[in-house]
Amino acid sequence: MTEPTFRTVIEPFRIHSVEPLHMTTAAYRRRTAAEASYNLFSLRAEDVLIDLLTDSGTGAMSRDQWAAIQHGDESYAGSPSYYLFRDAVQHLFPYTHVIPTHQGRAAEKILFGALAGPGRTIPSNTHFDTTRANIEFTGATAVDLVIDEGHDPALDHPFKGNMNLERLDALLTDHGADVPCVMMTITNNSGGGQPVSLENLRAVSEIAHRHGKPLFLDACRFGENAWFIRMREEGHRERDVVDIIRDMAACADGMTMSAKKDPMGNIGGWLALNDDALAQECRNLLILTEGFPTYGGLAGRDLEALAQGLKETVDHDYLNYRITSTAYLGDALERLGIPCIKPTGGHAVYIDARAMLPHIEPLKFPGQALAVALYEVGGVRACEIGTAMFGRQPDGTEQPAAMDLVRLAIPRRTYTQSHMDYVIEVCEQVKAMGPDLPGYRIIEEPPALRHFTAKFAQI
């Protein structure tokens, strides 16, 4: 008998414990949105029904991760939990030095504190918000060099996260003295969760190293990127995803990591690199703000949970379920005529708010308008990734972002298909309201990462 095939890809796990959801009314949600000054980050979590604000630290840990927590050793220095964690990282990313941090932006802060500064330029395919902010905080300039296809939401391209090789080579040729390193974000979060091909990553590595520049990976979603390589790039279909991850790691000289993404943690991160002198400088900076180098702001139990999570995230059944279930939501929205970035990314569906709400000009924040409407109508919390997040320039001026998106980020192992069916219905109702949705203006904002705490008012 041949192995049967089925249309439905089921969750490769059973539910062990449950967490209640707080059911609310539309009138209640309109009131709480106004009280939060229309910034969804300012909502109380219990007032959110389906929370797709981020996939960072919001996933469900496994039975074995909870069991691993009981093994956590809380010694201040030299905890065995650190060495278990280090070995789990180096199993996939064989860099010489592994420096734990409390989350990814701490690793970015330390790395760019050591490498960046006034007059420096750091290129990437697309820098995410905290990466860009940590670079610009030092006085350096963050430059995005994603391929042209990555700017077209409607274009279907298998690796829209790829870097433009000609532009990278030209930048390093003309301004190489100002560039301390090259970054590569996998998958490319701000560009729609789009993957980077191994071919492109190897070419970026060759260009960077030919110009004498180290390459660092912003590798938060490395497992999802490796799975896309396996499924979409010629010659990799039968390979183990662990081997593909090692091939990606071999292209670079180090990495930053938010372990709240693919490593399945609720907290944590790390900086890994090969350069001995740079590693020592980074450890010195770590001690100033994060803690001793063998715990870096984390408890031993966190390190143990992450070590187990790194084993689980490379499981083929899990990755197949993860990518397929995200595509389920994206495909359904496309059938409803809701414009989304094509193809669907790994961790999220990105709605093209600028195309969906053409009556709202970019500087009146169509992404914010759409995100607020999703919450008010159905209690779905999403994240604007557009002009509210990226529109303000270092000199204080405003300009439209390359795209105005709303990200529906799906926490790992948290929601079922019926939750996603509900999200689809909410999106359908909001689409019908589209022409009546108002734009927004910012009435108060901080000097950096304004989207987290800014206050908005309806226009």
PDB file of all heavy atoms in Angstrom, residues 32 35 288 300 319 350 377 399 406 433 446:
ATOM      1  N   THR A  32     -11.810  51.055  24.322  1.00  0.00           N
ATOM      2  CA  THR A  32     -10.440  50.779  24.769  1.00  0.00           C
ATOM      3  C   THR A  32      -9.417  51.256  23.739  1.00  0.00           C
ATOM      4  O   THR A  32      -8.324  51.701  24.106  1.00  0.00           O
ATOM      5  CB  THR A  32     -10.250  49.271  25.029  1.00  0.00           C
ATOM      6  OG1 THR A  32     -10.625  48.520  23.865  1.00  0.00           O
ATOM      7  CG2 THR A  32     -11.091  48.816  26.206  1.00  0.00           C
ATOM      8  N   GLU A  35      -9.066  54.921  24.378  1.00  0.00           N
ATOM      9  CA  GLU A  35      -8.327  55.147  25.625  1.00  0.00           C
ATOM     10  C   GLU A  35      -6.836  54.874  25.448  1.00  0.00           C
ATOM     11  O   GLU A  35      -6.000  55.458  26.148  1.00  0.00           O
ATOM     12  CB  GLU A  35      -8.900  54.264  26.732  1.00  0.00           C
ATOM     13  CG  GLU A  35     -10.303  54.683  27.173  1.00  0.00           C
ATOM     14  CD  GLU A  35     -10.952  53.670  28.108  1.00  0.00           C
ATOM     15  OE1 GLU A  35     -10.382  52.552  28.267  1.00  0.00           O
ATOM     16  OE2 GLU A  35     -12.028  53.962  28.654  1.00  0.00           O
ATOM     17  N   LEU A 288      28.424  45.305  31.334  1.00  0.00           N
ATOM     18  CA  LEU A 288      27.935  46.602  31.780  1.00  0.00           C
ATOM     19  C   LEU A 288      26.422  46.639  31.918  1.00  0.00           C
ATOM     20  O   LEU A 288      25.891  47.317  32.805  1.00  0.00           O
ATOM     21  CB  LEU A 288      28.368  47.692  30.787  1.00  0.00           C
ATOM     22  CG  LEU A 288      29.831  48.131  30.825  1.00  0.00           C
ATOM     23  CD1 LEU A 288      30.104  49.106  29.687  1.00  0.00           C
ATOM     24  CD2 LEU A 288      30.168  48.765  32.168  1.00  0.00           C
ATOM     25  N   GLY A 300      19.097  30.532  34.338  1.00  0.00           N
ATOM     26  CA  GLY A 300      19.529  29.234  33.847  1.00  0.00           C
ATOM     27  C   GLY A 300      18.387  28.443  33.251  1.00  0.00           C
ATOM     28  O   GLY A 300      18.566  27.722  32.259  1.00  0.00           O
ATOM     29  N   LEU A 319       8.006  22.389  10.884  1.00  0.00           N
ATOM     30  CA  LEU A 319       8.207  23.440   9.896  1.00  0.00           C
ATOM     31  C   LEU A 319       7.190  23.365   8.760  1.00  0.00           C
ATOM     32  O   LEU A 319       6.689  24.393   8.279  1.00  0.00           O
ATOM     33  CB  LEU A 319       9.634  23.364   9.340  1.00  0.00           C
ATOM     34  CG  LEU A 319      10.729  23.862  10.289  1.00  0.00           C
ATOM     35  CD1 LEU A 319      12.109  23.475   9.769  1.00  0.00           C
ATOM     36  CD2 LEU A 319      10.635  25.373  10.491  1.00  0.00           C
ATOM     37  N   TYR A 350       1.122  39.611   5.508  1.00  0.00           N
ATOM     38  CA  TYR A 350       1.251  41.062   5.450  1.00  0.00           C
ATOM     39  C   TYR A 350       0.220  41.622   4.486  1.00  0.00           C
ATOM     40  O   TYR A 350       0.293  41.386   3.277  1.00  0.00           O
ATOM     41  CB  TYR A 350       2.654  41.452   4.975  1.00  0.00           C
ATOM     42  CG  TYR A 350       3.761  41.157   5.950  1.00  0.00           C
ATOM     43  CD1 TYR A 350       4.147  39.849   6.218  1.00  0.00           C
ATOM     44  CD2 TYR A 350       4.443  42.181   6.596  1.00  0.00           C
ATOM     45  CE1 TYR A 350       5.176  39.566   7.105  1.00  0.00           C
ATOM     46  CE2 TYR A 350       5.469  41.916   7.482  1.00  0.00           C
ATOM     47  CZ  TYR A 350       5.838  40.606   7.726  1.00  0.00           C
ATOM     48  OH  TYR A 350       6.856  40.321   8.607  1.00  0.00           O
ATOM     49  N   VAL A 377     -13.290  45.927  15.186  1.00  0.00           N
ATOM     50  CA  VAL A 377     -14.319  45.049  14.632  1.00  0.00           C
ATOM     51  C   VAL A 377     -14.299  43.674  15.285  1.00  0.00           C
ATOM     52  O   VAL A 377     -15.349  43.133  15.643  1.00  0.00           O
ATOM     53  CB  VAL A 377     -14.146  44.918  13.103  1.00  0.00           C
ATOM     54  CG1 VAL A 377     -15.034  43.810  12.539  1.00  0.00           C
ATOM     55  CG2 VAL A 377     -14.468  46.246  12.428  1.00  0.00           C
ATOM     56  N   GLN A 399       8.675  61.058   5.671  1.00  0.00           N
ATOM     57  CA  GLN A 399       8.447  60.647   4.296  1.00  0.00           C
ATOM     58  C   GLN A 399       7.782  59.271   4.308  1.00  0.00           C
ATOM     59  O   GLN A 399       7.965  58.506   5.255  1.00  0.00           O
ATOM     60  CB  GLN A 399       9.743  60.615   3.492  1.00  0.00           C
ATOM     61  CG  GLN A 399      10.736  59.559   3.909  1.00  0.00           C
ATOM     62  CD  GLN A 399      11.991  59.603   3.052  1.00  0.00           C
ATOM     63  OE1 GLN A 399      12.497  60.674   2.721  1.00  0.00           O
ATOM     64  NE2 GLN A 399      12.507  58.433   2.689  1.00  0.00           N
ATOM     65  N   VAL A 406       0.247  45.877   7.109  1.00  0.00           N
ATOM     66  CA  VAL A 406      -0.240  45.419   8.413  1.00  0.00           C
ATOM     67  C   VAL A 406       0.143  43.958   8.545  1.00  0.00           C
ATOM     68  O   VAL A 406      -0.252  43.128   7.722  1.00  0.00           O
ATOM     69  CB  VAL A 406      -1.764  45.604   8.552  1.00  0.00           C
ATOM     70  CG1 VAL A 406      -2.275  44.898   9.802  1.00  0.00           C
ATOM     71  CG2 VAL A 406      -2.104  47.088   8.624  1.00  0.00           C
ATOM     72  N   MET A 433     -15.756  47.767   5.031  1.00  0.00           N
ATOM     73  CA  MET A 433     -15.785  49.102   5.629  1.00  0.00           C
ATOM     74  C   MET A 433     -14.721  50.026   5.048  1.00  0.00           C
ATOM     75  O   MET A 433     -14.709  51.226   5.354  1.00  0.00           O
ATOM     76  CB  MET A 433     -15.532  48.992   7.143  1.00  0.00           C
ATOM     77  CG  MET A 433     -16.532  48.176   7.908  1.00  0.00           C
ATOM     78  SD  MET A 433     -15.893  47.791   9.567  1.00  0.00           S
ATOM     79  CE  MET A 433     -15.483  49.413  10.184  1.00  0.00           C
ATOM     80  N   PRO A 446       7.887  59.538  20.922  1.00  0.00           N
ATOM     81  CA  PRO A 446       9.223  59.563  21.507  1.00  0.00           C
ATOM     82  C   PRO A 446      10.267  59.794  20.417  1.00  0.00           C
ATOM     83  O   PRO A 446       9.958  59.739  19.225  1.00  0.00           O
ATOM     84  CB  PRO A 446       9.358  58.167  22.111  1.00  0.00           C
ATOM     85  CG  PRO A 446       8.578  57.319  21.163  1.00  0.00           C
ATOM     86  CD  PRO A 446       7.413  58.163  20.704  1.00  0.00           C
TER      87      PRO A 446
END
